[in-house]
Amino acid sequence: MRNWKLIATASLLISLSAVAQQTAAPSSTSTPQTTQPTTTTTPAAAQPTTMDQVVDRTIEREHALMDFLKTRTPLVETYLQNLKLDPQLGPVPSQDHYFLGRIDMAESVDRRDYLSKDSSFQNRLMGGFSKLFKFEYKPMGFSWMIFADREDFDRNHYDFRYVRREFLGDVRCLVFDVTPKKDAGKGRFIGRIWVEDQDFNIVRLNGTYAPRPRNSDFFHMDSWRLNLIPGYWLPAYIYSEEGDFSYGAKDTMAFKAQTRIWGYDLKKNEQGGELTQIRVDSVKDETAAGDASPLQAERQWLQQAEDNVVERLQNAGLLAPEGEVDKILQTVVNNLQITNNIELSRPVRTRVMLTSPLETFSVGNTIIVSRGLIDVLPDEASLAMVLSHELSHIVLGHNLGSKFAFNDRMLFTDESTYQNFGFRHVPEEEIAADKKAMEMLKTSPYNQKLDTAALFLKELAARGPQLSALLTAHLGNNFTDNKGGVARMASLLNVGPALDPNKLDQIAALPLGGRVKLNAWDDKVELIKAAPVAITSARDKMPFEVTPFFPRLTRIVSGGNTGNPTTAANTVQK
Ligand SMILES: [Zn+2]
């Protein structure tokens, strides 16, 4: 744990100073793609003096947000865990579900799914839950999750009652209870809104829909927005929860779910790329003096395939741009390489996939690890365990996906990425990579700390059967077999102490969302700097579990700088 943090801190500092240097340099060629919204805050408008005027301004800002998001097609991911009561651990996951799609936020909110092509899979995945969750696919359901009311958020349909002032993070808010007027119709928002007190944007919504129409359910949701660009607070996180485990309760439905929205700045149609976006940082190819030798040509060909795939995944909203988290992953890869005397013709790179399911894969010499997996890994040794497996595929020459060097193979819709890409290995290669990885770990500094990596796999073995959606890899190989048994690095299951939930010093796997913070606007990822909270009971561990969101709200520093939201956010946090 300590080592992970040490390296993390070191790398954080490096990347932050790098950012600072970039900003200080005279205007570089790659200007940030942040489109400065034309209708930002209206400084000319007089500040409201009464609560009625505040409400009017809030309604106006909500409609401005809807307008601003009309041209946007962000990704939306929901990960849901059904719950059952465990006498010792409290409510624990009994089954899980995963949804990933792209929403078009034009006039009516429209959704296309990354996973829907294989409908039988989708049906199986959703099981008996599909009926219950169907509302989510309807525009109204989504408009509720993202906005208070997409159609009729106004005084004719709602009453607003001022409650109090309250700080959410650094941001002072005015809190209002919002209730639908009589005869306002079905499915209206009822709950509470938090409105920041400078421009009067809604920053948090908490409540549900009422009255409930027959044959459908509206869930309780807590929806958070972040100030990632000047003037707007973008919907980023939604937590939902249902169920009552108190004695005698008869609630049959019990679940908790996290919804994340990102990719607001993704281009709506990548094919129509503008000339201004062509990068000019490598005008002249100076890699070789003459023609490439056959071996050089082979390597360049593989490099081209690798670059194509990485770029395509990033354009589809599935991969974070290169950033500070990569540096941490790369440090671990370097440690493995140096102590094992591994020299490769091309450097190994690492990237973060933005989705929650636990997965890793490698394309050429690029290792890709999902955000969800980085979240739940307990320490650096377990991260090394994960990376050593992919590094072994690279060392053993398993990644010869040269067909992606042909650019026509990159021409598909973002939503069909999972149908067009796949980087699974045959079982023989998996076994060989596991064997090689164990050798690497034994020769590395992580050899002394493999107990936690082993505990992680034991926890995976214990929880695996209930978490099939979280453990379904979409581009790489699964950690578990189809019955939830651990398939990767299984020889580690014989190492170290047995898993014991009651041992509070045994942290085998963390809850989701605890490590990696994703910027919903530009898809950059960074590590969360949250102070560790002491665990006081077995229930506090929550391995692989979903928890509520409580982001620290903060305003970006606007005006004068490049307008790069992430840089600004970093500055604020530092
Ligand atoms: Zn593998």
Side-chain angles (χ1 to χ4, degrees), residues 22 26-33 276-281 562 564:
Q22 268 175 17
S27 61
S28 61
T29 44
S30 58
T31 44
Q33 293 191 0
T276 49
Q277 280 170 25
I278 293 175
R279 291 169 53 187
V280 285
D281 50 4
T562 57
N564 183 327

Side-chain angles (χ1 to χ4, degrees), residues 68-79:
F68 174 63
L69 293 180
K70 262 182 191 170
T71 56
R72 304 283 153 184
T73 56
L75 279 86
V76 57
E77 178 198 63
T78 297
Y79 176 60

Side-chain angles (χ1 to χ4, degrees), residues 389-390 393 425 430 433 477 488:
H389 175 91
E390 295 301 339
H393 281 307
H425 290 283
E430 283 299 292
N477 288 87
R488 194 183 299 187

Side-chain angles (χ1 to χ4, degrees), residues 79 94-98 121 124-125 357-358 463-474 478 480-484:
Y79 176 60
S94 57
Q95 198 191 11
D96 65 345
H97 305 275
Y98 181 68
F121 173 73
R124 202 181 65 226
L125 191 76
L358 312 189
R463 296 282 183 121
Q466 287 81 46
L467 301 176
S468 58
L470 187 66
L471 293 169
T472 298
H474 295 279
N478 286 351
T480 49
D481 59 27
N482 52 15
K483 286 178 188 135

Side-chain angles (χ1 to χ4, degrees), residues 4 126 157 229 392 432 460:
W4 163 286
M126 291 165 72
H157 293 82
I229 50 163
S392 296
L460 210 55

